[in-house]
Amino acid sequence: FYHMDLYGSKERFDIFPEEPSGRGDISLGDMRRESTLSSEKVQHPQEVGYDLEKEVAELAKMYGLDEDREKELELLGGHLEKVESRWPPAPTEKAGSQGSIYNTSKSSSSVEDPSQSTKQQGLPDEAFQGENQSKARADDEAESNIWSREGLSSGGMSDEWNSQAISEEEEEEEEEAADVFCSTCKIPIRAFDKLFGEHKDHEVAQLPSAVESEKEEIHKNMCKLEEQIAQMENVASHLEEIFITVEENFGRQEQNFEVHYNDAVQVLAQKYEEQLEALGEEKRQKLEALYEQLVNCGKHLDTCKELTDETQELFLENDKAEFMKTFFSPYNYRLEEFLKKEVDLELSMLPDFEERVIDVSEVEQLMNSINAIPAPCAPMINPQAPNAATGTSLRVCWSLFSDDTVDCYQLCYKPVSNERHSDGHAEHTLKVKETYCTITDLLPNTQYEFWVSAINSSGISPPSERAVYVTAPSPPTIKNKKIRSCENAALVCWESRDINPVDSYTVELSKLTDEGNDDVITESIVGIPNCEVLIHLQPTQKYCICVRAQNLGGSSERSEPVLIHTTGTCFYLNEDTAHPLLAILDDGFTISCDELENPECDLPVYDNSFTRCIAILGSLIPFPGKHYWEVEVEEDTEYRTGVAFENTPRHGHLGANNSSWCMRHIITPSRHKYEFLHSGMTPDIRITIPPRRIGILLDYENCRLSFFNADIAQHLHTFNSHFQHYVHPCFALETPGILRIHTGITTPPWTAL
């Protein structure tokens, strides 16, 4: 029942009474036995602690908890100390033998140091040890008897203490800090519980990692809650909009009901007034007819009375002669005329009025229309969406921000004109069911004005605000003869096909390979404001280039593609600079001259044409670096070839000024003469082999212009001059003949000086 540490600790001796120092009835043997017993008991806690530590070390090694070994030992040590403190305290008041046992706790000093006690008594060590051993046995028997009697007499005292000790143990265990987390039970536990407790077979994790995992889970839940909050806010916002819409619809319905009610009341009042007026007219007619009949009747009655009175007077006349005279007088005629008249004794008008029924069909129609749907509100046309247009079509969208019933929409549009009187443009009207419509057959890069109305059985809504849409531009046209290129760049030019200006252009490049991927766009250059662009390319490649025009409506279709080879410098001949006697053949790179009788002829001359020298300029070469081309000549043709600035005089000869550098071939009676002219000066150079194919190398960076006999890779001459501007290739014929220009040639390695 008692914990072993209770008897193996120093506190165990406190429960024995302190013996008087002058005690004389203790035998030497008892004292020696008591000393030996106390020594064994003092050593016992060390043995117990050592065995327990060893056991914990083995268990920790078995479960792989060597790293937390020291921590667990500390926890276990504290646990053992707490267990010691849980034993029941000694009763303070006991009768008889119990009191004698607990009162002996003060004699620990005598028991703790038996040698000192022996010295005080003056007894031998052997007798003292024997006396101590006999006394210890007696004390143990007495103590066991006391605890047995106490258990029998107190009954439930032992159970009460056990429950109290267990509850205290649980509370103290809960108070201990948890250092691991049980993933099975989802609670923090101690490492000791993992080793010996009910969590022995459960999966555990370090408390910091478990906390981080739970925090991540909480963060995820918080994100979900935020999403739900956002959704609920959107729903609440939508409900508020619906609430406002209900209020607005109620106001419109109330207004509609009031309007219909007022209309119905107005119609009823009008009907009432009309019927009342008709009834009054009928009354007036009846009264007038009856009054006229009454007047006539009165007149007739008066005449009758008058004739009656005259007849009565005539009847009373006694004189017969007078009677006959009077009877045949006008009286007789008047009486006869009156009697001939027919008297209308029937009523001219009956007192009953015509039964009148008010026509309430119109009122019924108005009343029935109260429950009908109202006319819809005006829609709102949306701004033009990006890339919602092509060169000939537009996609127009609109919205209806109410719950009105709509049968269809009426879409109207017309072109936008900058003229003051733009009413001459015809308006087009379409009826559609949806809130969008694609209009076709439009003009490219043109602005159109749109507005829309909603229609239902009750009528048509007011038109929406007008919105301006613009169609996409037409595909640009690349100027093939304006394209210039070299080994690492190209200058592409094009022109717009639209009357209205566009916002920008986009150039799309496709690198062509043997696999035939010409539809794969490898690079796009956007936001080009002008109709030309300088593109950096890779040498010895083949490119397919297209151009698109951009505006607010979107992008145009691709232009016709052009092919560019970056094997060498390519340029074209500028026809605007050609002398009138100089012809350019169909290939675009061969020039010819048939007659030279009158170089200053009267043929049409352009402002930029040569007038004296039968020459032509090529395209400007605007790329830094080296550029190489070749000119194929005939041996019996006199010519000039080289480079010149843009502003070289058109009325002079090439090489005769400081703005041109050229090689000149002259046939003399004795030999072929070659001159390398600049500012009219030439070095004295003799060429023994007339070149049939002249190679020209222009090196901007090194300020050189070199000429070669390409057939034999022979260097002829080099001009060292600083070119302040980019130059044009130039060609001239001084006798009838032809020159063939070859471009796009890779610079030969033998041109390196």
Side-chain angles (χ1 to χ4, degrees), residues 515-531:
E515 299 176 358
N517 58 342
D518 53 341
D519 291 336
V520 179
I521 305 299
T522 57
E523 183 180 355
S524 295
I525 304 173
V526 300
I528 303 172
N530 303 320
C531 291

Side-chain angles (χ1 to χ4, degrees), residues 453-472:
S453 300
I455 301 175
N456 63 12
S457 58
S458 298
I460 184 171
S461 72
S464 66
E465 296 291 335
R466 301 197 176 194
V468 176
Y469 281 49
V470 59
T471 54

